Amino acid sequence: MQAKPQIVEVGDRAALRLAVDVLSAGGLAALPTETVYGLCALAHSDAAVRRVFAAKGRPAHNPLIVHLESAAAADDIAALGKTGRALGRAFWPGPLTLVAPCRSGAPVAAAARGGGAHVAVRVPAAAFFRQVISAVGPLVAPSANRSGRVSATSAAAVAVELGGRVDLIVDGGPSDIGVESTVVDVSDRPKILRPGAICDVAIAAIVGPVASTGEAEPVRSPGMLASHYAPRARLRLDVAPQDVRVGEGWLAFGPIVDDAPAGPTVQLSRAGDLDEAARRLYAALRALDDAGVETIAVSPIPARGIGIAIRDRLERAAAPRPNDKTPGEAP
Ligand code: TXA
Ligand code: MG
């Protein structure tokens, strides 16, 4: 792997050939999708998939999403069933991931499934990404960040996160949606494992009532979320403007009021538009980290539509970190 990745723009005539060359040689390419940037490798290659885990520092038991060209190709590797097929018809190509039993003999590296019997599949909408899949076949693509950190929604953020750990970065500009796909387990009654761009109401409109659970990662003690999507700074959630403390960063949502705090502020959406807030979320967290604040006070975000996904990511970012001492423990 090179010390510094090559960065090429999506509109560059050489971009497709470069991405195809890197991936078919078993390398890693970070490509834009409509949700966030993905760290891509050939889904059938155990060696390439292991490189993805190493580059991200991701635990081997946390499986990856396989990205395919079409719903039919997804159903060839995952037994989607009636529910899964209905969701695929409604939302693919797009920001939906389905988890279902992996069909025997499917060309998916065991490492990509975290060693399990189920596989996650998604048919992305981003045009360049689809061209690459057509040329090289199915790709695993976790978000292009170090494990536990904020996802990347720009090529520059990928370079900060993964630098020399990736062979090529394709710059497609800022991500359209800005938060990751909705992950739905369709192996039994449909269950949302990770809220995302497609909300529970939209899913229920296709398949009826859906359950929600935490993300597929093990939750060690009840009520304690695993830290994820985390900037360096600590987060305080649902903070009213007058309660932002001196020296804190402020992640604002909605109109800035007269008594707004004076510290570093990033506005997610002055108009209170949740889609705009989702697009700006991860870049805003990075900007506040860059401003050097120790804590970030976050305005209340409504829990509807994509706001549910925004709140989920912020709650995980605010969860206790692996090195945190439990309350009462000596420092
Ligand atoms: O929008 C997205 O989904 C982006 C873009 C690049 O496609 N990808 C993404 O991948 O967010 P990643 O690896 O960062 O998150 C995948 C999520 C994780 O929570 C993982 O645990 C879950 O999907 N997942 C993957 N395979 C699974 C499986 N077999 N069973 C249950 N959960 C699974
Ligand atoms: Mg991720």
Side-chain angles (χ1 to χ4, degrees), residues 38-210:
L39 177 61
C40 305
L42 292 178
H44 67 75
S45 163
D46 217 61
V49 169
R50 281 174 198 283
R51 251 174 238 139
V52 171
F53 280 91
K56 280 184 64 82
R58 177 159 170 141
H61 60 74
N62 190 4
L64 306 179
I65 300 169
V66 179
H67 294 65
L68 300 119
E69 204 177 2
S70 66
D75 208 8
D76 280 346
I77 70 158
L80 295 180
K82 224 175 108 195
T83 308
R85 281 193 284 271
L87 287 172
R89 268 194 305 277
F91 299 114
W92 279 339
L96 174 75
T97 294
L98 298 177
V99 172
C102 190
R103 294 192 192 276
S104 68
V108 176
R113 306 192 309 263
H118 288 66
V119 64
V121 290
R122 165 159 122 82
V123 180
F128 182 82
F129 201 100
R130 295 175 62 80
Q131 285 171 20
V132 177
I133 298 174
S134 303
V136 299
L139 296 174
V140 290
S143 51
N145 52 280
R146 296 277 292 161
S147 184
R149 295 251 325 144
V150 179
S151 299
T153 51
S154 68
V158 176
V160 168
E161 285 291 319
L162 295 170
R165 298 166 181 270
V166 56
D167 300 298
L168 174 73
I169 299 175
V170 177
D171 183 352
S175 306
D176 285 346
I177 295 174
V179 296
E180 303 80 357
S181 62
T182 307
V183 180
V184 184
D185 186 339
V186 292
S187 48
D188 196 352
R189 293 230 312 265
K191 204 184 326 166
I192 297 180
L193 302 181
R194 177 177 72 181
I198 298 169
C199 75
D200 52 353
V201 176
I203 304 230
I206 308 297
V207 294
V210 279

Side-chain angles (χ1 to χ4, degrees), residues 232-233 247-250 263-266 283-296:
R232 186 191 44 74
E248 269 188 328
W250 186 26
T265 297
V266 179
L285 291 171
R286 289 176 188 281
L288 289 169
D289 256 357
D290 291 346
V293 295
E294 291 299 317
T295 59
I296 300 171

